[in-house]
Amino acid sequence: MTVTKEDIINALKTVYDPEIPVNIWDLGLIYDIAISGDAVVVTMTFTSPTCPMMEDLLAQVKSVVEMAAPGAAVRVELVWDPPWDLSRMSDTARLDLDLTEQGW
């Protein structure tokens, strides 16, 4: 398996939170991508532990990573520490959501 972190990031950028028109990478929900041999582990969080789309999004993340890394054993780990906050968002996401320094 020859997959790069950039391959995984590009795949993750296709997954959107249906309540927020920004992909999960730019939202800052992905904390880590570990590639070791034929295994990929994605560590992520959500903006809230009560996210109604949590199970669907976890399944989507696993699916797109499996497509980006065919044959890899993919695991998605959900963490709550450290908690997500607005500072984790990319500049692009902040602009898209009008959360510039003045707005947040």
Side-chain angles (χ1 to χ4, degrees):
M1 174 187 78
T2 305
V3 65
T4 66
K5 196 176 250 189
E6 194 64 33
D7 295 331
I8 303 300
I9 291 169
N10 288 334
L12 292 169
K13 285 183 176 182
T14 68
V15 179
Y16 284 76
D17 182 323
E19 296 178 338
I20 305 170
V22 175
N23 69 70
I24 63 171
W25 177 260
D26 286 324
L27 276 175
L29 299 181
I30 305 300
Y31 285 1
D32 188 48
I33 299 166
I35 302 169
S36 178
D38 64 350
V40 178
V41 179
V42 177
T43 305
M44 68 176 293
T45 195
F46 287 91
T47 58
S48 165
T50 61
C51 173
M53 297 301 295
M54 191 178 310
E55 293 301 319
D56 289 339
L57 287 169
L58 289 169
Q60 283 182 49
V61 167
K62 188 172 191 312
S63 177
V64 300
V65 173
E66 286 173 339
M67 286 188 287
V74 175
R75 190 171 80 238
V76 181
E77 292 184 354
L78 179 59
V79 297
W80 298 110
D81 188 32
W84 179 88
D85 63 52
L86 290 174
S87 70
R88 296 187 175 277
M89 294 174 72
S90 71
D91 291 339
T92 301
R94 283 194 201 106
L95 286 172
D96 287 350
L97 297 174
D98 195 27
L99 295 173
T100 55
E101 299 247 350
Q102 298 87 7
W104 66 284

